[in-house]
Amino acid sequence: MNAPRELGDGQGEPSAPHQPVHAPRPMPAAMLEALMARFGDRCSTAMALREQHGRDESPFDVPPPEAVVFAESNDEVAAVLALANAHRVPVIPYGAGTSLEGHLLAVQGGVSLDLSRMKRILSINAEDLTVTVQAGVTRNQLNAEIRHQGLFFPIDPGADASIGGMSATRASGTNAVRYGTMKENVLGLTVATPGGRLIHTGSRARKSSAGYDLTRLYVGSEGTLGAICEITLRLYPLPEAVSAAVCSFESIDAAVRTTIAIIQMGVPIARCELLDAHAVRAVNRHDKLTLREAPMLLMEFHGSEAGVAEQAATVQEIATEHGGTGFEWATTPEERTRLWTARHHAYLSALQMKPGCRAVTTDTCVPISRLAESINASVEEVEASGLPYFIVGHVGDGNFHMGYLIDPGIPAERETAEGLSARMVARAIALEGTCTGEHGIGLHKQGFLLQEAGEGAIDQMRALKRALDPNDIMNPGKIFL
Amino acid sequence: MNAPRELGDGQGEPSAPHQPVHAPRPMPAAMLEALMARFGDRCSTAMALREQHGRDESPFDVPPPEAVVFAESNDEVAAVLALANAHRVPVIPYGAGTSLEGHLLAVQGGVSLDLSRMKRILSINAEDLTVTVQAGVTRNQLNAEIRHQGLFFPIDPGADASIGGMSATRASGTNAVRYGTMKENVLGLTVATPGGRLIHTGSRARKSSAGYDLTRLYVGSEGTLGAICEITLRLYPLPEAVSAAVCSFESIDAAVRTTIAIIQMGVPIARCELLDAHAVRAVNRHDKLTLREAPMLLMEFHGSEAGVAEQAATVQEIATEHGGTGFEWATTPEERTRLWTARHHAYLSALQMKPGCRAVTTDTCVPISRLAESINASVEEVEASGLPYFIVGHVGDGNFHMGYLIDPGIPAERETAEGLSARMVARAIALEGTCTGEHGIGLHKQGFLLQEAGEGAIDQMRALKRALDPNDIMNPGKIFL
């Protein structure tokens, strides 16, 4: 943007995440009775279940929700919301429980509304390349069920997340450089509003100019505006040919410069992932690979046989110009699967490098021309801190994750990691990027969102929240305060 | 969707557009004085200028706005909005004046806020493939200024619309099948809110999960939520090779089946346009071409030399299987330009087939598997009516336009055309499509939006409007009532 950002220019001290305030809004007995009457043993107050629904990968420690309800239909979702709205009790939609930024935590108490049993694939339209699923369907389940029709759904956050949750956090993953994120791939939704009404957004048409884009408003709203019950998605034909390659570089900078050149040449690369030397070492150990322990690009090409060969040749030439070496091909499905499985294991593999550790991970996205600068500065800071770390990045999009390995028994290590993370996020904002490429805001990044968007845009978001959820029952206390 | 649509199932009688009610909210003298004081001769009440700003291609006859103000900066836009908000007077943002559905009409009086002088390109980032422009920059201007850097912006509604207007109507055009619409290509916005505050949405990063997607809420909001001042767009590298082709078919059905097969095969076709025999005849006459006067696909392929050749071979094979004949290549830039210029002239060319006529055009989009059915039924109806017509379609997206040629002196012809259009739109909704693929709702399609979205979704839209524009000053009376 040309104009300076109002409060959003990344100036000033980066805010560290504060411990969220636990301010419960207790559930009246009448509401619990009504839930029990309707849901029977699908409404539970058992502590183990509540605790399982009240934590995620985030560092926060908050008491669990008061009850967990398992919905099995849109009408049941709507009924829970209507009841909660009447009693002004919070509801937190729950899918696969894989979110990372505290999205699921019951900071104001209430009900965890588990949609994981809503896992039917409602209709597949192969001619139109669309599918409609219930919110609890996971991405692996979906792909398993459409593969025999020659179709696939490309969005792949690390975990086997639910499609409802992926929509709610605007997830992406390794294929976004070619296929986009959930934002580009959700065509329509069925949503239960806080008033308990079921509405439909979008259609099965590939595009539309019909009114406000409610679909895109719910995608990424983190359960704060309504509960997503059904999702209509775009699908893609399985490519005729797929080929994967790895290439090592002397520096992260060289790997990033290679990526920029690939994108600028218009090569329709399907995946372009960076692993730093630490991440390569970790996956080598965990998955028994022998990759060179240097900054590496892991790439994939989709297309016709000839097209894939041509893309690969172009990329190899670009990589060589930037000092890339050890270009290796994975042409069989088995080899490819082995590499990508290793990539998806990077987080777990890294944890095993320091026994008993936890990882503080963060997620920023910058314009690709600022990516090397962004990563290099973060590396310099973490090297100075002495904490072990690893980097994986969807670098074709300018998106990367840094994982700081900390000993959970040493509070100073977490503080150091959070401080490093805060500096990295503030830098991303200052470089015209975003505080989160794909993980969302949740509890963890509320201060950063304010820095990024500015008070003016946050006020608009607050006004939208008040308009659609006047009693503030939908996942309250998240995104902004 | 699986569940029946609440009120949005396309049942019942299609609603014909009603003549909009002209319910002016007069401008107090104090406001006009304040505008005159600040803008001098850039604030005008001259009737010719007001009339020019108070009509578009739509059929409606509404008195013009009370004044036209030419803004030259974000601050000026914000100042007009703040003043209008204080006086509760409508403001209608105006770009190139090329909208089709009555978007610009001053149904409640007020000020036409002309942004066409805000035509600076603020920054081009070739490495990141992004550009930030002022709202009045037109698509042709933008492409002329970025071509020498090897870049282009693909979205091409027929007219040389402004980027601000294209954002406000969620425009697309012939390249959407490959490059998406404005929805996919706007990264961020600077918007003046009705309160006169400037806010920024999005960033220059290619993706983000940071809070509500305000960008996508303003894109397609038709000036009813705020005034778009600056837009950050994605750009694309000019393809190494481009090739265009035409192919004739015995029937529209065969052309559409060919398109479906192309999409299903995953061929990354850049443009895939249908012209019916009437449209071909019209462009033949207007542009002195000798195309076979039968249903025709006009296609374009972007990529490497080898990639384009391969795509073209695949497509030729598919077309031949569906009875396509007369496959002809336009390989030189001159030939290509001639064909695409003819395509962009289709509307004007058709008008010249019936001297003195006007065209009632409409715009629907359906899942591609329903496209042939949708077009064939509309053709049957228009043939029975006796009105001359033509069809052009972005068929790769399932989007097509029908133009009915009417004598403006014979009211019965307009009525017939509006009736045909209404049936076509109702059919699109019943076929799980949308009442507008790219033209927007404006005044013309308010009834259809209600049919499509249902009362529940419209209520959400109304709530958003009230939240962001409590005094209803931004282009009031549009999209929904």
Side-chain angles (χ1 to χ4, degrees), chain A residues 1-6 74 120 122 125-129 132 169-173 176-177 181 183-184 188-190 193 197-214 216-222 224-225 230-232 234 237 257 260 263-266 304-307 310 365-370 394 396-399 431-441 449 452-453 455-465 467-468 479-480, chain B residues 1-6 74 120 122 125-129 132 169-173 176-178 181 183-184 188-190 193 197-214 216-222 224-225 230 232 234 237 257 260 263-266 304-307 310 365-370 394 396-399 431-441 449 452-453 455-465 467-468 479-480:
Chain A
M1 299 287 164
N2 201 44
R5 297 189 152 220
E6 178 193 84
N74 297 353
R120 277 190 304 137
L122 300 170
N125 294 78
E127 277 202 318
D128 298 318
L129 301 171
T132 300
T169 52
R170 206 182 296 129
S172 50
V177 63
T181 71
K183 169 164 73 66
E184 286 83 12
L189 297 169
T190 299
T193 71
R197 193 173 191 182
L198 290 167
I199 65 160
H200 305 288
T201 75
S203 73
R204 287 211 307 113
R206 279 167 66 113
K207 65 182 198 184
S208 172
S209 288
Y212 298 164
D213 192 348
L214 296 179
R216 246 51 57 186
L217 183 60
Y218 289 109
V219 169
S221 65
E222 303 187 5
T224 65
L225 298 177
E230 296 177 9
I231 307 100
T232 298
R234 280 182 74 159
R257 291 280 141 213
I260 293 177
I263 302 294
Q264 274 195 306
M265 293 276 290
S304 65
E305 292 287 352
E310 189 187 33
C365 189
V366 295
I368 197 169
S369 67
R370 318 305 292 270
H394 314 310
D397 292 317
N399 184 202
L431 294 174
E432 299 182 88
T434 177
C435 64
T436 170
E438 55 184 12
H439 293 174
I441 300 296
L449 178 63
E452 175 178 335
E455 194 66 58
I458 298 289
D459 278 350
Q460 302 292 97
M461 294 186 201
R462 287 195 189 104
L464 298 177
K465 166 75 172 170
L468 299 192
I479 303 184
F480 39 73
Chain B
M1 300 289 161
N2 202 43
R5 295 189 153 219
E6 179 194 84
N74 298 352
R120 277 190 304 135
L122 300 171
N125 294 79
E127 276 202 318
D128 298 318
L129 301 171
T132 300
T169 52
R170 206 182 296 129
S172 50
V177 63
R178 166 93 171 242
T181 71
K183 170 164 72 68
E184 287 83 12
L189 297 169
T190 299
T193 71
R197 194 172 190 182
L198 289 167
I199 64 160
H200 304 287
T201 74
S203 73
R204 286 210 307 113
R206 278 167 67 112
K207 65 182 197 185
S208 172
S209 287
Y212 298 164
D213 192 348
L214 295 179
R216 247 50 56 184
L217 183 60
Y218 289 109
V219 169
S221 65
E222 304 188 4
T224 64
L225 297 177
E230 294 177 11
T232 298
R234 280 183 73 159
R257 292 280 140 212
I260 293 177
I263 302 295
Q264 275 195 306
M265 294 275 290
S304 65
E305 292 288 353
E310 189 188 32
C365 189
V366 295
I368 198 170
S369 68
R370 319 304 291 272
H394 313 310
D397 290 318
N399 183 202
L431 295 173
E432 299 181 88
T434 176
C435 64
T436 170
E438 55 185 11
H439 293 173
I441 300 296
L449 178 63
E452 176 178 335
E455 193 68 58
I458 298 290
D459 278 350
Q460 302 292 98
M461 294 187 200
R462 286 195 189 104
L464 299 177
K465 167 74 172 172
L468 299 191
I479 303 185
F480 39 73

Side-chain angles (χ1 to χ4, degrees), chain B residues 301-362:
Chain B
F301 308 97
H302 295 177
S304 65
E305 292 288 353
V308 161
E310 189 188 32
Q311 287 177 49
T314 306
V315 165
Q316 187 158 2
E317 198 176 304
I318 295 169
T320 305
E321 277 169 25
H322 290 85
T325 56
F327 216 89
E328 275 180 51
W329 290 99
T331 41
T332 69
E334 295 71 27
E335 285 175 282
R336 273 206 320 278
T337 302
R338 202 157 166 234
L339 277 177
W340 285 108
T341 305
R343 163 63 189 87
H344 275 132
H345 287 165
Y347 176 82
L348 285 175
S349 309
L351 286 181
Q352 297 189 0
M353 298 296 279
K354 177 173 167 177
C357 76
R358 283 195 66 165
V360 172
T361 56
T362 192

